[in-house]
Amino acid sequence: MTNRAMMNGATTNGAEIARRVRRARMSGCATVEFRAEHCFGPRLRLRLYELGNGLRVWMLVDRSAPVISYQTWYRVGSRHENARKTGLAHLLEHLMFHGTKHFAYGEFDRLMEQAGAEVNAATWTDWTYYYASLPASGLELAVSLEADRMRHLVLEEETLQAEKEVVQNERRDRISDDVEGMAAETLYKTSFRRHPYGRPTIGWMRDIRRLNLDDCQAFYRTYYAPNNAAVVLVGDFDEGDALRLVRRHYGAYHPASLPEESVRPESPPRKPRHTRQTWPTPTEKALIGYRAPAIGTPEHAALVVLHEILLGGPSSRAQQTLVEERELLSELRGSVTPFRDPGMYEIWASARPSSSVAAAIRELDAIFARVQDHGVSDDELEIAKNQIELGFLSELEPCGGKAEQIGFYDAVLGAGNYVFQQLEDYQRVTREQVREVARKVIAQTSRTIVHVIPAAA
Amino acid sequence: MTNHAHRSSGTSFRVAGVRTLVEPSPEIPLVDFAFAICSGSRTDPPGKEGAMRLLGRTLRMGPRGMSRSTFEQMIARLGGRLSVQVSRETIRVHGSVIRKHAEAFLELLTKMIREPSLRPGDIAFAKRETLANWVHQQDDDRALALRVFTRTLFGSHAYGRSIGGTPRSIRAIGRADLRALHRQCFVASNVVFGCAGDMSTEELRVIASRSFAGWPRGTPPRPRLVAPRALRGRHLRIIDKPDRLQTQLYMGTLGTWMRDKHRLPLVLSDIAFGGMFSSRLMQAVRAERGWSYGASSQLSQGRTRDAWWMWTHPQAPDTAACAQLQLELLEDWATSGINGAELEAARNYVLHGHCFDVDTAVKRLDGRMEIAVSQLPAEHDKQELRAIRKVRVRDAREATSARISPAHLVIVAVAEADRIAAQLEQLPELDSFQIVSWEDAFRIN
């Protein structure tokens, strides 16, 4: 055994840790290499290791609490689905909590909950991830269970049928009976006609019903492999011990042959697209979408800053005008999708009981036009950057927040360390870039609007 | 693992009569401030329900001598974020700010709390906003169901009232009401202040001493709280909303309260029943039958006897069968309690998971503030954990049968009534049954 005091990360560098872990005798295990170290401030040090089978392992020791966050990010999401098998990535995420060759159905949840863990998972367009937040003493349990289900999942007809029912009910809850869910699904379907971003991650109901055991098994075998995944470990652990555990439990897995992706980014619509939906809702609503740049680009950073200036908080231009002064809207918010390919800048507007969203959209257009014509002020730029910094720091507070950011950027950009660079990218954005991105992205000629009308009106 | 630096280095002291709690944590250059005013919606004057919520909203519009938009600009410029939340027992002001502007932010926050502008224009705006939000709540089926459940279970008791008030009570509130509530409730002895994050105790003490100097003293109102009377029998309310594919289904009764001797055994029993993924309710409804994506139970713990409820959202054709199954699970649980394995699972879940109640400085501060606000001993958490270790199967069984009564039940379903009413009406031993339009749901009694 290696001396724990020497392996606590304070005095030992990553290359040395990897060398010692390699030296440990583990038959059939892949090698382990130290790849890089990235620091944020004086206290946070992120290290990347890689097993010989391609599994990337991100480690950040944070001893501020006796907890760990253990996350596994797979570079597979709904964009990898066949157009007639939508919902497959998400259904498989549910099935991953079923039994494996070594653990019966229900054991995963039971063992994790007994250990005091909170476990869950999420799927979106570009990725699927599984997380466990648990006491530091539960590290080996988390590594062994997560590694086990990466390659030894057992899929059975009976439990598949029950899980498909669960997913259909999830869809009814999130989409069919929810005005915002329905509007979002309609927006993406209307705006993207070829790219898989136009298809709902949860899947169309008819596809969910048709998915079978073969579909799930094929998808699992193809994408759930060490060379398509990253393990992220943040919290109170010994780096050498943890790396040894990871090597022991994942090291024998072989890399998979991953299919080449044929998805190409889709250009913005050439004409405005507008759909109307009636709905049992007391007031009018609109979801507006503009084609947004891909994450990791300077344009994406500029658009996030622009969004902060226009809609970001109570002091932003549009909030002040539409919600505070004119009282046209009860709710106004937006977001820029964090997608690998160009995605969407979406804006949700919910009208006051006696107002129409059409009037609000006209006002919003005027606000956008002013930015396109005259740009933004230094003061607005500084405020936006401060707010972005606050949001960034808040997300980093818990171990799970740090792990999530690292895993996300690994899955989408192939660089978990971007978590510490993103703030610099936002700080570098200039007034000219904000104006430029406003001109490029905010175009009435290429936007999509979903207009929700109260059913009784 | 060893070498934990996680133990709370928190301190507490008084500044100008204000109880002050500090949780330093220098990892991230971020500071959180929290004020808890120990008076909530229970302090609303009769006929003016929603007054404290309105005061909280108007408070958020800034201090005297500063317009609403100027105040917002200042918060944003400092890299701060601010929220005000009103519960039955407290008004809580929470602010986060980047480290470099923490001092200026705290001064602004304190000024807002001590010297709110309460301008007539702002109050009128807040009232219009509240009324609009009232309408918007109709979009949220779950909120609609829970509101009707609470109203039906508690009736006219303080716990049955909406924190936000009603359109009628909101209209009745005037500026003088808000000023009076502010004068009475925002006194030093009624305020708990906390700071978590990248600020040392010494530094905070200096800033707080300057900002809190001369904080008015006084005795806040303490409205009397009586125990709610249990509604007798089983009562079904269907909120009829068109085009619903599924049903938001709430089913519950009275449960426990903070100082109830049965509380901790019941907490564990409830977790085993519906508080985990491996619990009875989740396994029976979701894992075995796929009837609902979510299935859970919740035990509220107020100062007097509070609510217990379970929630599922089956599709319309499964609603009656799901409701029937839930009733059977409930009756079995209330009669027989939980077994030893279930108790151990729940106990482990709580004891092992406790570290997540204290894994960040903000959470540690929240916990300490809750203890201070509830006037519990500082060692409350440790005492609770010790007591949880001692709970026996028999205690859990006794607590469950003593507090959870399947005979006196409120069942609320938000759904398209035509698709579920006939079947739900067949549920056993219903004493009353009512269908209400979703647009009238908030008026149900």
Side-chain angles (χ1 to χ4, degrees):
Chain A
M1 282 295 289
T2 312
N3 183 302
R4 174 170 289 188
M6 288 292 289
M7 296 293 285
N8 66 4
T11 55
T12 312
N13 65 39
E16 175 61 15
I17 291 174
R19 197 169 59 78
R20 291 179 188 183
V21 170
R22 272 199 303 273
R23 242 192 260 151
R25 286 184 190 172
M26 295 182 203
S27 62
C29 277
T31 58
V32 56
E33 298 290 342
F34 169 68
R35 292 289 182 219
E37 179 174 290
H38 308 272
C39 296
F40 179 73
R43 293 170 187 270
L44 301 181
R45 188 175 53 204
L46 173 65
R47 283 173 174 165
L48 172 63
Y49 299 90
E50 189 171 333
L51 300 195
N53 57 18
L55 180 73
R56 294 174 307 287
V57 184
W58 295 94
M59 291 190 169
L60 193 158
V61 175
D62 173 359
R63 295 192 187 280
S64 54
V67 299
I68 53 168
S69 176
Y70 191 87
Q71 302 191 353
T72 311
W73 286 74
Y74 292 94
R75 290 177 181 173
V76 62
S78 52
R79 65 181 291 145
H80 300 94
E81 294 163 350
N82 178 309
R84 283 179 298 177
K85 293 186 188 298
T86 62
L88 185 51
H90 173 253
L91 176 62
L92 187 60
E93 173 222 301
H94 277 235
L95 295 169
M96 283 286 281
F97 291 85
H98 289 206
T100 69
K101 246 160 67 176
H102 308 107
F103 295 95
Y105 180 91
E107 281 292 279
F108 182 93
D109 289 314
R110 193 185 64 76
L111 289 167
M112 283 294 207
E113 285 179 345
Q114 290 271 312
E118 190 206 333
V119 295
N120 215 327
T123 308
W124 209 4
T125 53
D126 303 323
W127 45 259
T128 305
Y129 91 107
Y130 300 83
Y131 74 80
S133 298
L134 65 172
S137 57
L139 175 62
E140 183 157 12
L141 178 71
V143 177
S144 62
L145 290 179
E146 281 296 354
D148 183 50
R149 66 178 175 170
M150 178 184 273
R151 292 311 268 175
H152 301 302
L153 189 66
V154 173
L155 297 167
E156 291 171 332
E157 189 60 39
E158 193 186 342
T159 51
L160 170 66
Q161 293 310 323
E163 206 58 57
K164 279 168 62 174
E165 287 296 323
V166 171
V167 171
Q168 288 172 63
N169 277 317
E170 183 181 355
R171 188 189 150 79
R172 290 180 190 107
D173 187 52
R174 292 187 194 275
I175 313 281
S176 312
D177 280 1
D178 183 83
V179 63
E180 269 198 75
M182 173 279 298
E185 186 173 280
T186 308
L187 180 77
Y188 282 77
K189 180 180 74 175
T190 309
S191 181
F192 288 97
R193 291 188 174 161
R194 291 186 311 279
H195 196 284
Y197 289 168
R199 308 193 289 254
T201 296
I202 199 166
W204 301 115
M205 195 63 107
R206 62 171 185 275
D207 288 348
I208 298 170
R209 289 191 179 118
R210 278 201 302 242
L211 292 173
N212 61 39
L213 215 49
D214 290 343
D215 297 327
C216 298
Q217 271 163 346
F219 201 78
Y220 174 65
R221 280 198 215 104
T222 304
Y223 292 109
Y224 280 65
N227 55 323
N228 200 37
V231 162
V232 186
L233 180 52
V234 177
D236 184 7
F237 62 91
D238 179 289
E239 209 167 325
D241 288 350
L243 198 55
R244 249 183 300 278
L245 277 175
V246 169
R247 187 182 173 214
R248 189 197 309 153
H249 287 278
Y250 294 88
Y253 296 162
H254 295 293
S257 170
L258 298 166
E260 203 167 310
E261 254 202 271
S262 57
V263 173
R264 295 284 172 269
E266 183 174 330
S267 305
R270 290 193 185 142
K271 290 179 183 168
R273 295 174 185 169
H274 194 169
T275 67
R276 287 163 71 90
Q277 304 274 339
T278 54
W279 195 263
T281 180
T283 63
E284 283 190 30
K285 283 140 182 94
L287 186 61
I288 307 158
Y290 299 93
R291 191 58 43 86
I295 195 165
T297 61
E299 292 80 18
H300 190 276
L303 184 57
V304 169
V305 172
L306 171 69
H307 164 69
E308 195 59 45
I309 291 169
L310 295 180
L311 283 104
S315 72
S316 63
R317 285 192 190 191
Q319 296 282 356
Q320 280 292 313
T321 305
L322 299 172
V323 179
E324 296 279 321
E325 291 163 19
R326 302 287 312 279
E327 297 185 35
L328 291 170
L329 300 175
S330 284
E331 195 180 6
L332 175 65
R333 56 189 151 80
S335 61
V336 185
T337 52
F339 287 175
R340 212 171 86 193
D341 290 339
M344 196 85 84
Y345 176 32
E346 54 179 86
I347 297 166
W348 173 255
S350 183
R352 282 279 183 107
S354 53
S355 304
S356 79
V357 284
I361 291 173
R362 279 195 299 275
E363 288 278 353
L364 202 54
D365 287 341
I367 291 167
F368 284 143
R370 277 197 291 278
V371 174
Q372 289 165 332
D373 292 344
H374 307 292
V376 299
S377 68
D378 285 331
D379 197 36
E380 284 178 312
L381 193 64
E382 189 195 334
I383 287 174
K385 288 177 179 178
N386 280 345
Q387 286 296 307
I388 289 169
E389 184 179 347
L390 174 70
F392 165 74
L393 293 174
S394 300
E395 284 177 5
L396 284 189
E397 255 192 319
C399 287
K402 294 183 193 83
E404 196 169 289
Q405 293 276 309
I406 295 162
F408 167 78
Y409 285 114
D410 177 277
V412 177
L413 296 181
N417 52 298
Y418 186 72
V419 61
F420 297 146
Q421 288 169 22
Q422 55 174 319
L423 195 55
E424 287 171 32
D425 282 3
Y426 292 129
Q427 297 293 359
R428 267 199 294 268
V429 170
T430 64
R431 285 171 52 199
E432 289 67 33
Q433 284 175 307
V434 172
R435 187 176 177 188
E436 188 57 35
V437 83
R439 286 175 168 172
K440 193 173 166 186
V441 171
I442 313 294
Q444 288 183 37
T445 51
S446 63
R447 75 177 167 197
T448 305
I449 298 180
V450 179
H451 191 167
V452 185
I453 314 286
Chain B
M1 291 287 164
T2 56
N3 191 26
H4 295 146
H6 68 274
R7 283 183 191 84
S8 170
S9 50
T11 51
S12 83
F13 45 87
R14 283 193 184 268
V15 178
V18 174
R19 187 161 176 194
T20 299
L21 312 173
V22 194
E23 279 289 338
S25 171
E27 276 76 22
I28 307 275
L30 187 72
V31 185
D32 283 81
F33 297 112
F35 288 88
I37 289 81
C38 305
S39 300
S41 66
R42 279 207 302 112
T43 315
D44 288 341
K48 296 186 175 177
E49 291 79 18
M52 287 299 264
R53 160 77 182 54
L54 201 63
L55 175 60
R57 178 63 187 103
T58 321
L59 203 69
R60 175 68 184 76
M61 294 176 176
R64 276 204 292 270
M66 200 179 284
S67 74
R68 226 156 73 204
S69 62
T70 306
F71 180 63
E72 292 300 348
Q73 292 284 330
M74 285 189 73
I75 292 170
R77 187 172 289 113
L78 293 173
R81 189 172 46 212
L82 181 57
S83 67
V84 181
Q85 288 186 324
V86 180
S87 68
R88 292 187 306 217
E89 308 295 347
T90 58
I91 294 183
R92 285 176 193 252
V93 177
H94 179 253
S96 300
V97 66
I98 52 179
R99 173 67 184 92
K100 61 188 172 190
H101 296 142
E103 184 174 343
F105 185 69
L106 178 58
E107 281 175 6
L108 185 64
L109 215 61
T110 311
K111 197 167 157 54
M112 175 197 92
I113 288 168
R114 294 185 57 182
E115 304 164 34
S117 65
L118 303 182
R119 278 179 292 263
D122 288 348
I123 296 169
F125 174 86
K127 288 167 81 166
R128 290 193 300 274
E129 183 187 67
T130 304
L131 294 171
N133 288 340
W134 185 271
V135 174
H136 275 282
Q137 284 179 48
Q138 294 171 6
D139 276 326
D140 186 341
D141 293 359
R142 221 163 279 168
L144 209 58
L146 195 53
R147 174 75 202 107
V148 173
F149 170 78
T150 309
R151 180 76 183 148
T152 311
L153 180 67
F154 290 107
S156 59
H157 184 270
Y159 284 4
R161 281 189 233 136
S162 163
I163 289 170
T166 64
R168 191 174 172 178
S169 68
I170 293 295
R171 288 190 188 100
I173 299 164
R175 188 184 186 213
D177 299 312
L178 303 188
R179 288 171 70 118
L181 284 171
H182 183 265
R183 193 174 54 247
Q184 292 161 12
C185 301
F186 284 59
V187 292
S189 61
N190 205 33
V191 177
V192 180
F193 167 67
C195 169
D198 192 8
M199 182 174 272
S200 71
T201 303
E202 295 69 32
E203 195 180 358
L204 181 76
R205 199 190 288 267
V206 171
I207 304 169
S209 299
R210 195 168 57 234
S211 295
F212 297 178
W215 199 303
R217 312 280 170 132
T219 308
R222 289 279 172 254
R224 192 166 155 259
L225 184 63
V226 295
R229 239 188 250 165
L231 191 70
R232 312 300 295 176
R234 288 183 173 176
H235 305 272
L236 171 63
R237 302 284 181 267
I238 294 178
I239 314 305
D240 184 20
K241 195 171 183 183
D243 303 331
R244 302 294 86 187
L245 294 185
Q246 60 179 206
T247 306
Q248 295 294 331
L249 186 62
Y250 281 78
M251 203 180 277
T253 183
L254 292 180
T256 186
W257 62 100
M258 271 307 287
R259 295 180 194 276
D260 179 13
K261 66 174 180 176
H262 289 305
R263 184 174 62 87
L264 287 178
L266 188 56
V267 164
L268 293 180
S269 186
D270 171 62
I271 288 171
F273 179 78
M276 300 183 291
F277 204 91
S278 55
S279 65
R280 284 187 193 183
L281 183 65
M282 190 59 137
Q283 288 302 305
V285 172
R286 174 173 160 159
E288 289 169 26
R289 294 171 177 83
W291 278 347
S292 176
Y293 173 61
S296 61
S297 65
Q298 188 167 315
L299 189 64
S300 301
Q301 300 162 49
R303 295 188 181 184
T304 187
R305 197 166 178 196
D306 217 327
W308 171 86
W309 46 258
M310 57 176 148
W311 161 74
T312 57
H313 51 106
Q315 64 167 327
D318 292 333
T319 299
C322 189
Q324 180 62 46
L325 173 68
Q326 287 178 244
L327 281 177
E328 287 164 17
L329 290 168
L330 172 61
E331 279 164 8
D332 179 50
W333 176 50
T335 310
S336 311
I338 58 174
N339 63 36
E342 288 175 314
L343 176 65
E344 282 317 304
R347 196 196 319 267
N348 283 336
Y349 182 67
V350 173
L351 294 177
H352 294 154
H354 175 67
C355 52
F356 290 101
D357 296 334
V358 291
D359 67 326
T360 65
V362 171
K363 286 193 205 170
R364 287 193 290 275
L365 178 66
D366 279 351
R368 290 177 61 204
M369 289 195 68
E370 189 57 43
I371 285 171
V373 163
S374 306
Q375 298 173 325
L376 296 165
E379 298 293 293
H380 174 77
D381 262 10
K382 282 181 188 163
Q383 290 168 3
E384 293 255 303
L385 294 175
R386 270 199 301 273
I388 282 171
R389 285 193 181 91
K390 290 180 186 162
V391 172
R392 298 162 302 174
V393 174
R394 197 177 64 196
D395 304 327
R397 189 177 300 141
E398 272 176 22
T400 312
S401 65
R403 293 288 174 255
I404 304 295
S405 171
H408 309 301
L409 212 55
V410 172
I411 304 168
V412 176
V414 175
E416 203 174 306
D418 282 351
R419 307 179 70 186
I420 63 159
Q423 290 83 22
L424 280 190
E425 210 178 351
Q426 305 305 314
L427 287 173
E429 296 165 44
L430 283 185
D431 289 275
S432 76
F433 172 45
Q434 197 181 348
I435 299 178
V436 184
S437 154
W438 63 290
E439 289 144 314
D440 298 329
F442 285 112
R443 285 190 275 276
I444 196 168
N445 210 338

